[in-house]
Amino acid sequence: MVQIARILARRIALLVPLMLGIVLFVFLVMRFSDIDPAAAFFMGANPTPEQLHAFREEHGLLDPLPVRYVAFVGDLLQGDMGISVLTRAPVLDQVSTALPLTMQLTFLGLGIGVVLSLVLGVTAAIYRDRLPDQLIRLLSLTGVAAPGFWLALLMIQYLAVGAGWFPTSGYVNPADSFTGWLKTMTLPAFALSLPVAAQLTRIVRTAVVEELDKDYVRTAIGSGLPPVVVVGRNVLRNALINPLTVLGLRFGYLLGGAVVTETIFALPGMGNLMITAVKNGDPAVVQGVVITTALGFVVVNLAIDILYLLVNPRLRSAA
């Protein structure tokens, strides 16, 4: 445990410059973009040059970039993401409202992707080069090639409009109706998770096949242990190391894909919030959504690192 705590402390220390770099990148991109907060604030009001200048001066938009960056980081450390120039509401309140839905969609999609990839990947490895393996490899190849938005549109066409099993859009809070929440989230979560599940299935299959070819597996089965026990207790534990690494990277894809998926299914999450802010020229909301998403990606990858340490004792001993 002491070794794990030491490794985690080092990795958490590395997150500080990483997040500062992400904040700097977002800050510079927004400052050099065509979005003018003053023009967005006075949208449709035909402001005078004096009014625009007064707004920029009041909000520090005329200060040198280093001064503005330091002030921006200081505000973030205090939980202040700025004020939306359109709604006049704190960005943190809007992000806090939209974030839970995006997290629900992302983690539900992640769970579906992990379960599908484990079941299909292990099945394909056990029935290597036979009919189940060939069918699963064909399905995974199709899933990798199929765009997520196309799958979403097909699901809406055939499962929502055609069969009527699910609603085409909208969101129900799980606190109000868990069944309604499940119905509104099932199609978006599957549309988001299927490309990830297809990629992970191929990785899980390869990793399990490599483990099944090792001597300790043949020895364990030859000594009388049931194959189910050998696969479940030993093979999976060793084979999951590589998929775990990929899983952290795929989480970033899920967060990014949630933007498109939420738009298609009209879900009021972070994706819809950011697209609305970009359309209306609201830079504070855009940078608030991007920074929050980046922080979520970093935190989840840290959690994946913890799992990686737990399933791979060699890393702990190497540290």
Side-chain angles (χ1 to χ4, degrees):
M1 292 301 295
V2 176
Q3 289 178 331
I4 294 178
R6 190 181 301 117
I7 296 171
L8 291 180
R10 287 203 301 265
R11 298 196 179 183
I12 292 173
L14 291 174
L15 295 184
V16 176
L18 176 61
M19 283 306 303
L20 287 175
I22 292 173
V23 170
L24 176 61
F25 176 76
V26 174
F27 174 83
L28 292 177
V29 168
M30 296 308 302
R31 295 312 174 272
F32 288 107
S33 69
D34 294 332
I35 298 178
D36 184 359
F41 182 82
F42 292 104
M43 183 180 296
N46 295 322
T48 64
E50 290 76 16
Q51 289 176 310
L52 292 173
H53 181 80
F55 179 87
R56 295 185 180 108
E57 187 174 21
E58 179 185 355
H59 292 82
L61 300 178
L62 301 178
D63 295 336
L65 279 180
V67 176
R68 294 164 62 185
Y69 175 69
V70 172
F72 180 59
V73 173
D75 290 340
L76 284 179
L77 292 176
Q78 298 176 33
D80 182 7
M81 291 184 173
I83 303 295
S84 168
V85 297
L86 296 176
T87 64
R88 312 296 194 268
V91 174
L92 184 61
D93 292 347
Q94 299 183 56
V95 170
S96 300
T97 302
L99 183 61
L101 188 149
T102 300
M103 289 294 100
Q104 292 168 23
L105 176 60
T106 302
F107 281 106
L108 184 58
L110 186 67
I112 292 173
V114 168
V115 171
L116 286 177
S117 62
L118 284 177
V119 173
L120 295 177
V122 172
T123 302
I126 292 175
Y127 292 95
R128 178 179 15 176
D129 297 330
R130 285 180 278 178
L131 182 60
D133 180 30
Q134 294 171 353
L135 290 176
I136 290 172
R137 290 166 68 181
L138 178 61
L139 286 175
S140 64
L141 184 60
T142 304
V144 170
F149 70 88
W150 181 72
L151 293 173
L153 293 175
L154 285 181
M155 289 180 180
I156 291 175
Q157 177 65 35
Y158 292 105
L159 299 180
V161 177
W165 295 342
F166 301 97
T168 58
S169 61
Y171 173 72
V172 176
N173 194 305
D176 298 331
S177 171
F178 180 78
T179 303
W181 172 82
L182 198 59
K183 284 185 177 180
T184 57
M185 296 295 285
T186 297
L187 287 188
F190 267 97
L192 187 63
S193 67
L194 288 181
V196 173
Q199 294 174 349
L200 286 176
T201 295
R202 297 169 66 86
I203 296 171
V204 169
R205 177 196 177 278
T206 302
V208 173
V209 165
E210 290 177 355
E211 287 298 317
L212 290 175
D213 286 340
K214 292 184 177 178
D215 292 337
Y216 79 89
V217 175
R218 288 191 290 268
T219 302
I221 295 177
S223 63
L225 287 175
V228 174
V229 175
V230 176
V231 172
R233 183 182 298 175
N234 302 106
V235 172
L236 269 183
R237 181 181 178 89
N238 295 327
L240 285 180
I241 295 174
N242 289 335
L244 271 179
T245 306
V246 178
L247 185 62
L249 300 175
R250 291 299 91 196
F251 182 81
Y253 167 84
L254 290 172
L255 279 177
V259 174
V260 178
T261 305
E262 287 174 3
T263 304
I264 294 174
F265 289 93
L267 297 175
M270 297 280 278
N272 253 335
L273 180 63
M274 184 169 67
I275 289 177
T276 303
V278 171
K279 286 181 179 178
N280 297 326
D282 199 341
V285 175
V286 174
Q287 63 192 17
V289 171
V290 173
I291 290 172
T292 303
T293 303
L295 179 61
F297 177 74
V298 168
V299 170
V300 168
N301 272 272
L302 178 62
I304 295 295
D305 285 344
I306 296 173
L307 291 176
Y308 199 74
L309 290 172
L310 293 176
V311 302
N312 192 356
R314 289 172 294 181
L315 286 181
R316 301 197 297 268
S317 61

